[in-house]
Amino acid sequence: METHISMIFKIMDRFRKRPLLAAEAGIYINGHRQRPLYKPGGYFIFTDLAPGETCFQISAPAFQQEALIALISAPGKGYLHSHLLLNPSPAYPFGSEVTTVRGRLWQDQRPYAHGHFYLIPGEGGEVMKVAEDKGEAGNTRLRLFAAVPERQLSFPGKYLIKDKDKGKGEVCLITRKDSREGMFLLEKELQFSHVRGTPLVEVIECRTEEDGSFFAALPELKQEKLTLSLLGKGPDEKNMTQGGVKTMEIHGGQANDLGDIQI
């Protein structure tokens, strides 16, 4: 009987930028633990799943839990490839001084429960710029100029394209650098077109708990400022718009409690 790939996860430790090992992540479907194939590099491979909408839950010690819903194709009709960047939980073994933030988001006098938002560590933070006349909507490749040494860039990693037209701001997941000069591969198609020189900044995607609380660990900061950028996000990650930016002072190398934050 022929075996068909249905889903591939590449699961990364976002903080240390390393792939997870097979024993580090448990993946569940409808509450039932699965036994996917594992390939070095953090690849968890599912074969011959039942077609249709499928809810995956990813659990790993010392990381925040993740969940996603995917539409699985019939066997032999194609497969999905998703990159997951797991955020540390407070139980993560950091091993040295690290900058962490926690807080609680409120919206319209209610906790911003199970919401998505992005953290941009530091002021400015531009690390790449669009290096083609126009990165067209629908493209899955984008030519970029690195404004910092490439060792400071994360792939796979999430980046905010800071278009001058705030209605065209969007977050893309760059999976890797192409073999061609300056070309990078995106996990999904661009939703908007962006002109040459449009800057990109690396972002940390966060999710809140039922009570609106969140926790995040930040990379080493040169400045003691954290820009908290909140982006509206539909269920299919389309039509992101920058709803507002809050800039808060934090202390590098310490645990920062930002308290209640109205958005």
Side-chain angles (χ1 to χ4, degrees):
M1 183 176 177
E2 190 174 0
T3 298
H4 299 95
I5 295 176
S6 301
M7 183 77 183
I8 300 175
F9 288 108
K10 182 178 176 65
I11 304 181
M12 301 286 294
D13 173 344
R14 183 197 57 75
F15 186 75
R16 290 204 167 97
K17 302 178 182 180
R18 66 170 183 88
L20 262 64
L21 302 175
E24 290 185 280
I27 304 180
Y28 300 77
I29 295 178
N30 299 325
H32 298 287
R33 179 74 178 263
Q34 305 296 304
R35 294 289 184 267
L37 300 173
Y38 180 82
K39 297 293 183 182
Y43 294 97
F44 295 76
I45 303 169
F46 289 83
T47 60
D48 296 323
L49 293 178
E53 192 172 86
T54 303
C55 180
F56 296 89
Q57 299 91 32
I58 297 88
S59 178
F63 292 91
Q64 299 175 41
Q65 292 192 356
E66 292 284 342
L68 63 86
I69 296 175
L71 186 60
I72 301 299
S73 300
K77 300 297 183 181
Y79 63 89
L80 300 175
H81 189 177
S82 180
H83 294 74
L84 297 178
L85 311 177
L86 298 189
N87 283 322
S89 74
Y92 188 93
F94 293 107
S96 60
E97 287 188 353
V98 64
T99 306
T100 62
V101 293
R102 64 172 70 240
R104 190 179 181 194
L105 301 187
W106 292 80
Q107 188 176 53
D108 298 328
Q109 307 304 314
R110 295 181 179 179
Y112 186 58
H114 304 300
H116 298 244
F117 65 98
Y118 296 90
L119 293 178
I120 306 175
E123 284 295 300
E126 297 177 4
V127 294
M128 290 185 287
K129 293 184 178 182
V130 175
E132 53 188 278
D133 290 338
K134 195 172 188 181
E136 295 288 352
N139 286 358
T140 56
R141 283 180 169 82
L142 187 60
R143 188 177 299 277
L144 298 170
F145 165 76
V148 298
E150 288 199 13
R151 67 177 180 275
Q152 297 180 19
L153 303 176
S154 299
F155 305 115
K158 290 200 171 184
Y159 294 83
L160 168 64
I161 304 178
K162 296 181 67 175
D163 202 286
K164 290 182 180 179
D165 180 348
K166 292 187 181 297
K168 293 171 61 178
E170 62 179 311
V171 170
C172 64
L173 192 154
I174 300 178
T175 60
R176 61 184 175 87
K177 187 172 183 180
D178 199 346
S179 58
R180 289 175 290 174
E181 184 73 22
M183 293 297 295
F184 293 82
L185 303 182
L186 313 180
E187 183 179 65
K188 297 182 179 180
E189 298 177 349
L190 288 174
Q191 299 302 313
F192 305 102
S193 297
H194 304 283
V195 299
R196 183 185 296 273
T198 300
L200 285 77
V201 299
E202 188 170 3
V203 298
I204 301 171
E205 182 177 12
C206 297
R207 294 174 175 81
T208 59
E209 302 294 337
E210 180 68 30
D211 64 353
S213 63
F214 70 91
F215 172 86
L218 306 181
E220 182 180 354
L221 297 176
K222 294 182 180 179
Q223 301 176 0
E224 291 189 350
K225 270 193 176 182
L226 165 70
T227 300
L228 176 62
S229 183
L230 305 179
L231 296 142
K233 182 174 184 180
D236 56 0
E237 298 192 5
K238 294 181 180 179
N239 301 322
M240 295 185 183
T241 57
Q242 193 163 345
V245 177
K246 291 179 180 292
T247 302
M248 290 161 283
E249 295 282 349
I250 65 170
H251 298 283
Q254 298 183 23
N256 296 267
D257 191 340
L258 302 179
D260 291 340
I261 304 169
Q262 297 291 335
I263 61 173

